[in-house]
Amino acid sequence: MQSTRIGYIARFISTSRQRLADIEVTEASPYVYHVKLDKPKKRNAFIPEMWKELRKISKDLSANPKCRSIVISGEGKSFCAGIDLQEGFGEVMNLFENDNLDAARKGRILREFIRIPQDGFTALESCYKPIIVAVHSHCIGAGIDLITACDIRLAAKDAVFSIKEVDVGLAADVGTLARIQKVVGNDSITRELALTARNFDAEEALRYGLISKIYPDQATTVAAALEMAAAIAAKSPIAVQGTKVNLNYGRDHTVKESLDYILAWNMSQLNTEDLMKSAMATMSKEKAEFNDV
Ligand SMILES: CC/C=C\C=C\CC(=O)SCCNC(=O)CCNC(=O)[C@H](O)C(C)(C)COP(=O)(O)OP(=O)(O)OC[C@H]1O[C@@H](n2cnc3c(N)ncnc32)[C@H](O)[C@@H]1OP(=O)(O)O
């Protein structure tokens, strides 16, 4: 078990490119990893193998001490066109046609089918390292599930978003409906967008609070995301990762529960050399170097 884990870590410590199930992982700069959806001919549409791979990548990077921040982007004409409508539902179609299973047993199989994309995106949220997503062009259906599980969302001017699921006959079940109101805090617009599936552009996404900045094009969006990721990676990893964990906890709990949680968290995490290093660097206006964690 231990050697497998180390094997995964070693794989990511390498600066070489990793390309698995149409997702490419590179070390863009020291401590910054770039995860690229790389299935441009299909507009980065998801199949179950991609969700499984995304989960593995997130967990590996979360455990990798040489990774301190992550950027996700999409290769080609679209950021992500949602689930692959030709291949993504193959297992479900086979299940519908299977007369040998009763409804309850089919339900159990469907539950596991839905859990794969849920786990793929939840792994982004649970990853200790902050994830910045750089969106361009189409961000549809599963694309919105993905970005709402990330920490910071940047977009190119040409970005077009759609919570598309009602148009393909389903209630979005792999993250968007669970997270988007916590991300944007606007119930009426959320319901309008989720119930009509209409497209909305980058300007509207900015007003709505789904994204935090707009850039002229894909290249400048990715460059800005990598720059932001490098700025985060230069800070204390103890402080940054503790901040992500506690922001997630605070989002899902009461103020009292969250204060109690960070008390317990900082009972160990305040015992860090990073505190003194950061304070001294601030006073001397010099850059601090932090040990891996
Ligand atoms: C348990 C369930 C888990 C997750 C559920 C998620 C739900 C969703 O994701 S709902 C959203 C599903 N996606 C869509 O409805 C988008 C479908 N695609 C489009 O609307 C358009 O293709 C476009 C993204 C707006 C781009 O349009 P355009 O620029 O005109 O290009 P096209 O010629 O239409 O497409 C180019 C090429 O890409 C293929 N493609 C695009 N989207 C998908 C897709 N979702 N699945 C499979 N393939 C896709 C398209 O077929 C074209 O392929 P060619 O071989 O070149 O014909």
Side-chain angles (χ1 to χ4, degrees):
M1 188 63 193
Q2 183 65 6
S3 64
T4 312
R5 206 176 82 88
I6 290 166
Y8 286 152
I9 291 169
R11 198 177 75 185
F12 283 109
I13 287 171
S14 144
T15 52
S16 64
R17 278 165 196 269
Q18 303 291 332
R19 208 199 128 79
L20 301 149
D22 299 312
I23 302 178
E24 187 185 84
V25 183
T26 51
E27 189 179 14
S29 62
Y31 292 111
V32 176
Y33 279 75
H34 189 175
V35 175
K36 214 183 282 178
L37 307 179
D38 194 16
K39 200 175 148 189
K41 284 189 184 149
K42 285 245 181 174
R43 305 297 181 95
N44 298 320
F46 269 82
I47 54 172
E49 285 67 31
M50 280 173 75
W51 277 302
K52 287 181 192 167
E53 196 54 41
L54 189 63
R55 178 170 183 266
K56 189 144 70 71
I57 289 166
S58 304
K59 286 183 175 292
D60 287 346
L61 292 179
S62 190
N64 180 351
K66 294 294 175 196
C67 171
R68 293 188 183 173
S69 58
I70 300 166
V71 168
I72 298 183
S73 69
E75 189 62 20
K77 288 189 179 167
S78 303
F79 170 73
C80 175
I83 193 169
D84 187 319
L85 293 171
Q86 286 152 345
E87 294 173 44
F89 286 116
E91 204 178 316
V92 177
M93 296 305 155
N94 291 339
L95 195 63
F96 288 162
E97 285 162 16
N98 185 338
D99 295 328
N100 298 322
L101 292 173
D102 65 13
R105 285 171 177 79
K106 285 184 178 180
R108 298 285 181 99
I109 293 169
L110 264 178
R111 181 177 65 184
E112 295 317 304
F113 173 80
I114 298 166
R115 209 192 290 277
I116 290 169
Q118 281 193 351
D119 287 353
F121 293 143
T122 296
L124 302 174
E125 184 178 75
S126 323
C127 176
Y128 278 155
K129 320 301 164 66
I131 304 179
I132 302 163
V133 64
V135 180
H136 75 284
S137 184
H138 308 105
C139 177
I140 300 174
I144 307 259
D145 293 302
L146 188 160
I147 67 168
T148 50
C150 295
D151 296 281
I152 300 168
R153 287 161 290 279
L154 309 179
K157 206 168 124 197
D158 70 350
V160 179
F161 302 85
S162 168
I163 305 172
K164 188 74 173 163
E165 279 80 351
V166 291
D167 277 352
V168 298
L170 55 93
D173 52 4
V174 300
T176 297
L177 299 185
R179 295 190 175 100
I180 198 158
Q181 281 162 315
K182 297 177 195 291
V183 169
V184 301
N186 186 324
D187 188 67
S188 179
I189 297 181
T190 297
R191 284 169 196 265
E192 181 201 328
L193 296 174
L195 293 169
T196 65
R198 75 166 169 82
N199 289 345
F200 54 106
D201 64 14
E203 284 295 343
E204 187 171 0
L206 184 68
R207 281 199 305 278
Y208 176 39
L210 181 62
I211 59 170
S212 45
K213 271 188 186 149
I214 301 176
Y215 296 88
D217 52 34
Q218 180 190 8
T220 50
T221 311
V222 173
L226 288 169
E227 196 181 320
M228 193 181 284
I232 292 170
K235 299 183 189 300
S236 154
I238 294 283
V240 164
Q241 292 166 33
T243 298
K244 173 165 178 173
V245 167
N246 280 279
L247 281 171
N248 282 355
Y249 192 92
R251 185 197 58 191
D252 298 336
H253 294 81
T254 65
V255 171
K256 170 82 176 84
E257 286 162 344
S258 304
L259 287 170
D260 286 344
Y261 188 79
I262 201 161
L263 270 184
W265 181 271
N266 268 358
M267 278 170 70
S268 69
Q269 297 301 289
L270 217 55
N271 292 311
T272 174
E273 60 187 19
D274 294 15
L275 195 62
M276 193 53 75
K277 278 187 182 177
S278 301
M280 284 170 66
T282 303
M283 295 309 289
S284 62
K285 299 185 171 46
E286 281 171 7
K287 195 174 167 299
E289 300 288 337
F290 300 102
N291 287 320
D292 292 347
V293 59

